């Protein structure tokens, strides 16, 4: 017999057990528990698909698999963002824009400030004798 979704059985075992938190087992996984993907977590056992893993919120990310609590979803650092839930990394703000920590989008730099390629998405005041 095969284990139902959300359960697994080690070789030689006489019964199936629920997959641990942070893992899942679908109908096509042959009773093997797989890790929840990057950008997700779960503190529940017996998940039946990767879609049952809880995604990190926009503005946060998790680059590791099989996470078991929301605290593993870390805020994007200033100058980066994630605009969708379930992200494994944050994207850098482009030239002329910036973001605060935990941002889901970047904003244009204010008049009198700029952000160049090497400024890591942080707006800086224009040097003396220049303007924007």
């Amino acid at each position: 017999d095969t284990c139902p979704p959300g359960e697994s059985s080690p070789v030689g075992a006489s019964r199936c057990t629920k997959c641990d938190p942070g893992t899942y087992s679908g109908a096509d996984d042959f009773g093997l528990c797989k890790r929840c993907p990057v950008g997700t977590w779960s503190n529940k056992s017996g998940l039946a698909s990767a879609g049952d893993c809880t995604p990190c919120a926009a503005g946060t990310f998790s680059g590791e698999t099989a996470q078991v609590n929301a605290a593993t979803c870390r805020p994007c650092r200033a100058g980066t963002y994630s605009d969708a839930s379930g992200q494994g990394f944050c994207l850098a703000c482009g030239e002329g824009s910036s973001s605060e920590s935990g941002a889901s989008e970047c904003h244009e730099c204010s008049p009198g400030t700029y952000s160049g390629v090497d400024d890591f998405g942080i707006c800086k005041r224009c040097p003396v004798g220049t303007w924007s």
Side-chain angles (χ1 to χ4, degrees):
D1 289 338
T2 59
C3 294
E7 296 187 7
S8 70
S9 176
V11 175
S14 60
R15 64 184 179 91
C16 298
T17 56
K18 287 186 176 184
C19 292
D20 291 333
T23 67
Y24 68 93
S25 177
D28 297 329
D29 294 325
F30 306 104
L32 299 173
C33 296
K34 294 183 175 181
R35 296 168 159 253
C36 285
V38 296
T40 68
W41 64 276
S42 177
N43 59 4
K44 298 176 183 170
S45 58
L47 300 183
S49 75
D52 292 335
C53 302
T54 304
C56 293
T60 68
F61 76 101
S62 175
E64 300 177 30
T65 60
Q67 299 304 298
V68 296
N69 64 56
T72 59
C73 298
R74 298 184 303 274
C76 295
R77 76 182 200 308
T80 68
Y81 71 100
S82 69
D83 58 357
S85 61
Q87 298 301 303
F89 57 91
C90 298
L91 302 169
C93 293
E95 276 188 75
S97 65
S98 70
S99 70
E100 300 294 323
S101 176
S104 59
E105 62 184 358
C106 298
H107 301 282
E108 284 189 31
C109 292
S110 305
T113 66
Y114 74 98
S115 172
V117 173
D118 297 325
D119 295 319
F120 305 104
I122 307 298
C123 295
K124 298 179 178 180
R125 288 186 178 176
C126 293
V128 174
T130 65
W131 61 277
S132 73

